[in-house]
Amino acid sequence: MLTYPCDMSAFPATRLRRLRRTDGLRSLVRETRLDLDDFVQPLFVGSTTVRNEELPGMSRLSVDDVLAEADELAGFGVRALLLFGVPEAEEKDEEGSSAWEEDGIVQRALRALRAERPELVLATDVCLCEYTSHGHCGVLLRDGPHGVEVQNDETLDLLARTAVSHVEAGADAIAPSDMMDGRVGAIREVLPDIPIVAYAAKYASAFYGPFRDVAESAPAEGDRRGYQMDPANVREALRECELDLAEGADVLMVKPALPYLDVLRAVRDRFECPVAAYNVSGEYAMVKAAAARGHLDERQAALESLTAIKRAGADLVFSYWTKDLARWL
Ligand code: PBG
């Protein structure tokens, strides 16, 4: 006796719980999987090691300790790193000149890593904020009509020089994160053969807080809203992506990841190139803090977060959980 309309696509003929009954069944029909090959571990390199016990994975490591960490990561199966340099305060200046020095901190780390770990993909973040005394991502105009303002075109050449110095030291890929207009083109012109992972849709986000503590790169005055994107905009993100591709980008990145999954999906649907997401420091720190207070399980929350980022359309993911993921998988 059927008490429901006899529609084979509806309940009771259809019961979606049938495929959720066992772990084996769930696994057979799973649509999104995490694969360590898609993950990039960010590392911070400085002249000395400063361990960050609250946010392991976000410690500043000396070149020797970066080498040891890379050995360990490679042993776990991690295949790609993203390097950030943290110079000493006295090395910083108005222009951020230690960013492109031949024996700058990232360049030294690259040479050491390249020699010891030829199989690792070494990507570098290209930006000036860690290297400038004022903490902005480019050359500063101080007394403009709107106070401090970062000068776009004057910054491009410095970014291109930085990128070249990284490649000369052994970088496999360049990831410009400064958000100047035209920087992908400026780098592409001097590096025709090197993959560029463009931080294309990079938002002016509160979720970079822990990163700026570790990298000592918070702006001394003002904020980054004059060059990073307004969190309210998604169509503008697509224009950023289009421009970066036209200038020669190989991979488009959306950053942060979790609060911007809609942007990630929009970029995925519109473009055929590989799409990256940056699961940023604040996304990681929030879960760590909640786990430390017993509010949630870090492993489960991290795996769920990373799965969501993949499901939204990311081909590759930059995440501080990469090392943990290698153990969890
Ligand atoms: C440099 C840069 C930042 C991040 C990546 N590259 C900081 C910023 O833009 O202020 C943030 C990464 C993170 O929060 O994990 N411009």
Side-chain angles (χ1 to χ4, degrees):
M1 190 191 64
L2 265 177
T3 53
Y4 295 88
C6 192
D7 174 352
M8 289 306 283
S9 65
F11 180 81
T14 300
R15 291 172 183 266
L16 296 183
R17 286 186 55 189
R18 286 194 291 253
L19 288 171
R20 295 179 199 148
R21 282 186 77 193
T22 70
D23 199 42
L25 285 167
R26 289 190 293 272
S27 159
L28 275 175
V29 297
R30 188 159 295 135
E31 298 175 32
T32 309
R33 282 174 209 282
L34 297 178
D35 181 342
L36 196 58
D37 281 2
D38 301 333
F39 283 81
V40 184
Q41 172 73 50
L43 290 180
F44 299 87
V45 56
S47 57
T48 56
T49 291
V50 183
R51 293 264 171 211
N52 182 338
E53 301 303 338
E54 277 158 50
L55 295 172
M58 287 194 61
S59 292
R60 186 198 315 175
L61 302 177
S62 66
V63 173
D64 283 347
D65 285 340
V66 158
L67 278 177
E69 183 69 12
D71 282 342
E72 203 180 345
L73 288 164
F76 286 161
V78 173
R79 307 183 66 178
L81 308 179
L82 175 70
L83 296 182
F84 290 96
V86 189
E88 294 298 306
E90 56 274 16
E91 291 174 73
K92 301 191 184 198
D93 59 26
E94 275 286 310
E95 289 201 310
S97 61
S98 55
W100 57 83
E101 268 166 13
E102 201 186 326
D103 67 341
I105 186 66
V106 168
Q107 291 81 353
R108 276 188 278 142
L110 281 166
R111 286 202 180 82
L113 283 164
R114 186 76 296 155
E116 258 188 51
R117 287 268 156 214
E119 79 283 14
L120 279 179
V121 173
L122 303 177
T124 59
D125 185 274
V126 167
C127 192
L128 300 178
C129 62
E130 296 99 332
Y131 305 90
T132 50
S133 40
H134 45 75
H136 278 287
C137 303
V139 180
L140 219 54
L141 173 70
R142 284 187 187 280
D143 302 312
H146 303 287
V148 298
E149 218 171 309
V150 171
Q151 297 189 279
N152 195 85
D153 298 15
E154 289 76 355
T155 303
L156 298 180
D157 180 48
L158 308 185
L159 295 166
R161 274 158 82 172
T162 303
V164 168
S165 76
H166 289 179
V167 169
E168 283 172 356
D172 294 302
I174 294 296
S177 71
D178 51 282
M179 287 303 275
M180 298 304 115
D181 286 320
R183 91 276 207 214
V184 171
I187 295 171
R188 176 53 74 222
E189 201 181 311
V190 289
L191 293 170
D193 297 324
I194 297 294
I196 297 177
V197 180
Y199 287 72
K202 175 171 175 175
Y203 288 87
S205 172
F207 292 96
Y208 306 151
F211 173 97
R212 291 183 191 164
D213 286 344
V214 175
E216 295 174 358
S217 65
E221 207 184 325
D223 55 44
R224 304 210 203 288
R225 288 182 294 176
Y227 42 107
Q228 298 181 347
M229 277 188 58
D230 185 335
N233 295 352
V234 60
R235 293 192 300 268
E236 186 190 349
L238 298 175
R239 295 188 71 197
E240 281 286 1
C241 288
E242 218 163 81
L243 287 168
D244 282 359
L245 273 185
E247 289 175 31
D250 300 285
V251 179
L252 296 173
M253 190 202 286
V254 174
K255 175 189 174 192
L258 292 175
Y260 297 88
L261 294 183
D262 59 324
V263 179
L264 197 52
R265 170 48 57 191
V267 172
R268 165 75 298 151
D269 287 346
R270 175 80 67 96
F271 301 98
E272 304 297 335
C273 67
V275 174
Y278 200 132
N279 173 224
V280 302
S281 58
E283 302 171 41
Y284 174 80
M286 282 196 298
V287 171
K288 287 266 180 205
R293 300 185 63 178
H295 292 324
L296 47 74
D297 178 79
E298 184 189 353
R299 178 176 181 275
Q300 278 177 30
L303 290 173
E304 185 177 328
S305 300
L306 298 175
T307 300
I309 294 167
K310 292 289 297 182
R311 191 196 60 231
D315 297 299
L316 53 154
V317 184
F318 293 75
S319 177
Y320 303 99
W321 274 306
T322 298
K323 186 177 185 181
D324 292 316
L325 186 65
R327 287 189 292 117
W328 293 332
L329 289 179

